[in-house]
Amino acid sequence: MANEQTSYSAVTCVNCNLDKLCIPKGLDPSDVGELALRVNRNNIRQKGEVIYHAGSTFRGIIALRSGSAKLLSYDGDGNELIVDFILPGELLGFDGFAKQTHNCTAIALETVNFCHLPAYRLDMLVGNTSNLSHILLQRSCDQFDFQVQKALFNRRTAEERVAYFIVALSDRLKLRGYSEMEFRFSMSREEIGNYLGITQETVSRIFHHFQAMNMIEIKAKRLKIIDKKKLSS
């Protein structure tokens, strides 16, 4: 235990700049300190490496500190379906919480650094921390609500889906202190299309259309929003 703690970064749950988005949001200061003692930090995965596999035993809650990841599921024919893209401050692992076995696979889209609250320590914290179970339930419900919204917006036209995706990604990055008007896509057009339920070619065509309408500008994987209000409408 002592050796494990000495390997921790100086950045803890107490002074992390993502504390307003991650598990500490809503916890009492004393409980945040208790959480900081239980979390394993500085776990690194390179682009394309698996964070956890579908079918594996639930290993606890994971919070991204930097980088991004994709959460995958598979249909009956084994086709890959992208459930969500995860950004810094967001949590992974709830797909394994109920049955103690992960339903999804999480893969790094770029180099990621994440914190890990192991399952056995999670049980200890829930018993010792007054409202942690409520906060975890709230985070889980937030993810469910998001999936409901996604199901509804997937009934929209392809152009509306792509516009919504860009605006939502911009808003999520703004919450994390990044630029909302210019950012790099860590996901490919094929992955965006998979997530939105449209083809890679359709995503590329709509990007070109939005550029022609002077709403966005794309160079390689960097996107600049020129007119967010028009894009949102």
Short mmCIF file of all heavy atoms in Angstrom, two decimals, residues 97-98 144 157 159 183 218:
data_model
loop_
_atom_site.label_atom_id
_atom_site.label_comp_id
_atom_site.label_asym_id
_atom_site.label_seq_id
_atom_site.Cartn_x
_atom_site.Cartn_y
_atom_site.Cartn_z
N PHE A 97 -21.29 -2.42 -13.96
CA PHE A 97 -21.62 -2.21 -12.55
C PHE A 97 -22.73 -3.14 -12.06
O PHE A 97 -22.63 -3.72 -10.99
CB PHE A 97 -22.03 -0.74 -12.35
CG PHE A 97 -22.07 -0.30 -10.91
CD1 PHE A 97 -20.91 -0.18 -10.18
CD2 PHE A 97 -23.28 0.00 -10.30
CE1 PHE A 97 -20.94 0.24 -8.86
CE2 PHE A 97 -23.31 0.42 -8.98
CZ PHE A 97 -22.14 0.53 -8.26
N ALA A 98 -23.78 -3.31 -12.85
CA ALA A 98 -24.94 -4.07 -12.39
C ALA A 98 -24.66 -5.57 -12.30
O ALA A 98 -24.94 -6.20 -11.28
CB ALA A 98 -26.13 -3.82 -13.33
N PHE A 144 -27.50 7.30 -18.86
CA PHE A 144 -28.73 6.74 -19.43
C PHE A 144 -29.53 7.83 -20.13
O PHE A 144 -30.02 7.62 -21.25
CB PHE A 144 -29.57 6.09 -18.32
CG PHE A 144 -30.92 5.61 -18.80
CD1 PHE A 144 -31.03 4.42 -19.50
CD2 PHE A 144 -32.06 6.36 -18.56
CE1 PHE A 144 -32.27 3.97 -19.95
CE2 PHE A 144 -33.30 5.92 -19.01
CZ PHE A 144 -33.41 4.72 -19.71
N THR A 157 -32.34 14.04 -39.53
CA THR A 157 -31.63 13.89 -40.80
C THR A 157 -30.14 13.75 -40.54
O THR A 157 -29.63 14.11 -39.46
CB THR A 157 -31.86 15.10 -41.71
OG1 THR A 157 -31.24 16.25 -41.12
CG2 THR A 157 -33.34 15.36 -41.90
N GLU A 159 -27.71 15.48 -41.78
CA GLU A 159 -27.09 16.79 -41.57
C GLU A 159 -27.31 17.27 -40.14
O GLU A 159 -26.41 17.83 -39.51
CB GLU A 159 -27.66 17.82 -42.56
CG GLU A 159 -27.12 17.66 -43.97
CD GLU A 159 -27.51 18.82 -44.87
OE1 GLU A 159 -28.17 19.76 -44.37
OE2 GLU A 159 -27.13 18.78 -46.06
N PHE A 183 -10.77 22.78 -32.42
CA PHE A 183 -10.29 21.60 -31.72
C PHE A 183 -9.93 20.51 -32.72
O PHE A 183 -10.27 20.59 -33.91
CB PHE A 183 -11.33 21.09 -30.72
CG PHE A 183 -12.74 21.02 -31.26
CD1 PHE A 183 -13.18 19.91 -31.97
CD2 PHE A 183 -13.62 22.07 -31.07
CE1 PHE A 183 -14.46 19.84 -32.47
CE2 PHE A 183 -14.93 22.01 -31.56
CZ PHE A 183 -15.34 20.89 -32.27
N ILE A 218 -12.29 22.83 -41.94
CA ILE A 218 -11.57 21.61 -41.54
C ILE A 218 -10.26 21.52 -42.30
O ILE A 218 -10.21 21.66 -43.52
CB ILE A 218 -12.41 20.35 -41.80
CG1 ILE A 218 -13.69 20.35 -40.98
CG2 ILE A 218 -11.60 19.09 -41.47
CD1 ILE A 218 -14.58 19.15 -41.21
#
